[in-house]
Structure formats: C-alpha cells, structure tokens
Amino acid sequence: MKTNTDAVLSAKSLRYFLQLIDNMSYTQAAQILGITQPALTQQIKKLERAVGSPLFGQMGKKLYLTDAGLKMEETAKALFSTVNNAVDSIQQYTKSDTGTISLGVLSTIEARVIDQFLIEFNQKYPEITLHVGFYNRTELWDKLDNNQLDLAVLYMPDHNATVKNMKQYMAKQIYPESVVFLTHNPETKFYKLAQHKWVTYPKDYYLPQIVRRFYATEFPNNELLTPVTFTAPYQLIKFAEQTDYDTYVSKSFYKAHKAQITLSPLEPKHETNFESCFIYRKNKSEIPRLVNFLKEWDKFINEKDYDSRLEEVKVNI
C-alpha cells in the first residue's frame, strides 16, 4: 500500500494539528491560526486519511487524542524539532542584526521592564523580527523542549520542570526575586498567617509551590486557606483589597506597583529566594542574533538597574 507522504508531512497540517492539541477546541484553534473552522477540520481530516486512523475522539463536547493521535503528536514534535535544529545550525553563521527571535514569557512575571527593553531593541535592530508570547510554565518548558522558542523568561530553580534533559539548557539571571506577603493588618504576626483566608495563584503555579517549600512547618498541611485563586497578579490584588483576604505576589510586581497597593507587606520568617531568568538551549548560545540580544540586555541593565526601572513603571492595577 502506497503512503501519501506529502499529506503526512505537510508542515501546515502538522502545525494545525499541534495547535488543536494545545486548545482541544476547533473554534479556539482556528481563531488563533487565523483560519476558518472548516479549513482547520479539512487539514485534520487530511492527516487522518493519510494515516488511516482517527487522531481525535470526542466524549460529549470534549476532544481527546486517540492512540494514533498521541503517536502523531510525538512524531510531529520530533519533526519540527529536527527542522528547527537544522535551521539553528545554519543560522549560527548568519548576521547578528537580522533573522527572527522567538521569546516566551511566563504569564505571571512582571514583564514591564522586559517590554521596555524589547521596544528599545526593536528600534535599534528593526531587521530582527520578534515573536513574543505569554504562556504558563508547562507550556514554556514544552515549547523550549520542542525547540519552538529561542528564549523563555521563567522563574528558577524550577523543581517541577518536566523537561527531558535540564543539562541542555542555560540560564541568565534577570532579577533576584522573593515572595511578598500582603495583608490588611501590618501588625499581623507571621505565624498567624495560616489562620487567614488567602486569594492566591492556583496551587500548581510557581509562587504557591515556593511558599509550600519554604513554609512547610509553619502552615498546616503545607497549605494556606485558599478559597479563591486567580492566574493574574492584578486580580489577586484587586480581590484582596476589596475583601478581608490576604495575598502574595513577587517582589518585582510589588516594587512596580507598591504606590497603588493599599495592603501592607509583612516581613517573612524565611527568605523565599528565587530568580527570573532567560532560559535557552546551549546550542543556541552561538547564534549571533541571540548572542547580540543578551549583550544588548546587559547594556540596557548597566545603563539603569532593574530596581530603578521597576520603580518607573506607571501602570494602573
């Protein structure tokens, strides 16, 4: 039986297939891809005809990957990784002021200083195309692991990272972070925090894991009482300020917005030290435009330090 190789290896079909996996919704995936839902369905059907098996099943309104779909996902990611690695190898010999840089940023990170740097970098190197996206931690590690990003901005150390081989990555510190606990009563004793109600990030996010790691002995069952969670720091602050809940955010977020925050910071019992970092594959450290990007970052911070730039942030919460 002859296999329709062109259909199987269509880059467009595979890209659409991986996007549908990310969303598990034809409507959402089509919107992100900028195509119609029937066009997306047609590409998926094309793949299914080529492999001779359904790639997605449906239970109620929810999509799921079939065994064939899981195998195709593994194959598609491996193919894209191979192509991207080949492109990286070729681009190591290109100029430092042209090409494309794909940057992923953790959605909970205070990114205003990075935003300002990207504006200045773009003005200085207009021939470099910047693709910037905001993702959760799992998505970022997955995209790094599958070579879909050149750089990612993440918190480190990440003890819950699901990468295949951490040794293949390099980290460049952006800012030394810590957790800032915010409460309505500045006289609150730290050991009493476990008795309060908290609005925080979901428990699988980085900051709650840091809090559990550092304060396992202080908080019953290693958990604060958290009836409400949000995924954005702005929402945490707004909710806490308008209720009797307490919250916590990163040091960088607090410094950038403390003039507008009515809650009071508490002195922690232990320092919750971690870092925001640029993370990238070691094999990308020789690509001229990425080397140049990181050198320009150093110049940017040497001209004015990160703390000073944080305090210049003018954004309403």
Side-chain angles (χ1 to χ4, degrees), residues 22-246:
D22 282 347
N23 298 96
M24 282 301 183
S25 163
Y26 278 92
T27 301
Q28 292 178 21
Q31 289 174 346
I32 291 172
L33 291 165
I35 61 174
T36 64
Q37 186 172 328
L40 174 59
T41 302
Q42 182 182 19
Q43 290 295 329
I44 300 302
K45 293 297 182 185
K46 180 180 177 181
L47 274 177
E48 291 180 330
R49 285 195 299 271
V51 301
S53 177
L55 300 175
F56 293 91
Q58 192 162 343
M59 185 175 294
K61 293 184 178 181
K62 292 186 176 181
L63 290 178
Y64 65 89
L65 279 173
T66 63
D67 289 343
L70 290 168
K71 184 62 179 177
M72 179 58 74
E73 178 188 20
E74 179 184 337
T75 302
K77 288 182 175 180
L79 285 169
F80 278 118
S81 180
T82 299
V83 171
N84 288 334
N85 281 330
V87 171
D88 285 344
S89 297
I90 294 169
Q91 289 179 339
Q92 288 178 14
Y93 304 99
T94 63
K95 296 180 180 179
S96 63
D97 57 354
T98 60
T100 300
I101 295 176
S102 297
L103 174 67
V105 182
L106 187 65
S107 57
T108 55
I109 279 180
E110 173 50 59
R112 301 296 171 173
V113 176
I114 295 171
D115 291 344
Q116 186 58 48
F117 167 70
L118 293 176
I119 291 169
E120 294 188 17
F121 183 84
N122 174 253
Q123 292 170 344
K124 192 170 183 179
Y125 299 97
E127 297 302 315
I128 292 181
T129 301
L130 295 172
H131 292 305
V132 183
F134 289 81
Y135 307 96
N136 65 38
R137 206 166 27 135
T138 301
E139 290 171 330
L140 281 174
W141 282 117
D142 184 62
K143 288 180 181 295
L144 281 171
D145 212 29
N146 289 290
N147 210 17
Q148 295 174 300
L149 290 174
D150 295 312
L151 297 158
V153 179
L154 282 156
Y155 289 136
M156 294 294 288
D158 193 340
H159 300 284
N160 293 81
T162 56
V163 294
K164 297 172 185 174
N165 182 10
M166 187 65 79
K167 292 181 179 179
Q168 69 183 314
Y169 293 103
M170 299 181 71
K172 179 180 178 66
Q173 186 194 69
I174 296 174
Y175 186 68
E177 289 279 11
S178 60
V179 176
V180 176
F181 294 89
L182 298 170
T183 183
H184 292 270
N185 182 5
E187 303 302 320
T188 299
K189 301 298 182 183
F190 193 84
Y191 69 89
K192 291 188 175 182
L193 292 181
Q195 302 169 15
H196 293 203
K197 289 188 297 184
W198 290 81
V199 52
T200 73
Y201 296 107
K203 65 180 181 179
D204 59 334
Y205 274 50
Y206 189 87
L207 260 62
Q209 291 175 0
I210 283 289
V211 169
R212 288 197 296 272
R213 181 176 295 273
F214 278 81
Y215 297 100
T217 58
E218 279 81 2
F219 303 142
N221 302 317
N222 298 344
E223 296 281 357
L224 292 170
L225 177 60
T226 308
V228 181
T229 63
F230 287 104
T231 59
Y234 301 95
Q235 294 171 307
L236 297 179
I237 297 295
K238 283 183 178 179
F239 190 94
E241 287 181 333
Q242 297 177 39
T243 64
D244 61 346
Y245 284 49
D246 293 335

